[in-house]
Amino acid sequence: MLKVSLVALGAAALCVASLAGASAANRRVDIVNNTGMVISEFYASNTGSDNWEEDILGRDVIADGETFDINIDDGTGKCRFDFKAVFDNGKSLVRNNINVCQISTFTYTR
């Protein structure tokens, strides 16, 4: 009986450790703009969410050829996010299901 309890305890500890590792993952992503246009707004929301929240850039923009470092961590511990870039001409481009725990750079192209 003691062996079973120790095995179960060890398995539970491994589960907790892997969850802690995922929530501690780096979620900083360099957004690269190679579109020929200015990105005037940028949003990132958990995949499956119906709300884009606030514009992450605020008063900043990402000019063509520029890179902007963004911390995508919203405190939920999730890794999968949808990105929405809004350009200075009013058009937008959405990219879904981006794993921000596995990438460090995301490039928008024409």
Side-chain angles (χ1 to χ4, degrees), residues 4-63:
V4 172
S5 296
L6 289 176
V7 169
L9 184 61
L14 277 175
C15 286
V16 169
S18 67
L19 287 175
S23 65
N26 179 9
R27 290 171 179 79
R28 295 197 79 80
V29 178
D30 286 336
I31 304 299
V32 180
N33 181 8
N34 288 334
T35 62
M37 299 178 284
V38 173
I39 297 175
S40 57
E41 299 173 33
F42 184 80
Y43 303 88
S45 66
N46 289 319
T47 297
S49 173
D50 292 332
N51 189 352
W52 283 110
E53 300 296 331
E54 75 275 350
D55 172 19
I56 293 172
L57 296 178
R59 293 182 178 198
D60 291 320
V61 298
I62 309 173

Side-chain angles (χ1 to χ4, degrees), residues 36-107:
M37 299 178 284
V38 173
I39 297 175
S40 57
E41 299 173 33
F42 184 80
Y43 303 88
S45 66
N46 289 319
T47 297
S49 173
D50 292 332
N51 189 352
W52 283 110
E53 300 296 331
E54 75 275 350
D55 172 19
I56 293 172
L57 296 178
R59 293 182 178 198
D60 291 320
V61 298
I62 309 173
D64 181 47
E66 287 189 345
T67 300
F68 196 92
D69 178 53
I70 296 178
N71 185 3
I72 307 294
D73 190 358
D74 66 353
T76 63
K78 295 188 178 184
C79 289
R80 301 264 177 196
F81 284 78
D82 298 333
F83 290 172
K84 179 180 179 182
V86 179
F87 299 94
D88 58 351
N89 65 1
K91 293 185 180 186
S92 63
L93 187 58
V94 175
R95 294 292 182 248
N96 295 308
N97 204 26
I98 309 299
N99 188 333
V100 299
C101 295
Q102 291 183 345
I103 66 166
S104 59
T105 302
F106 186 86
T107 303

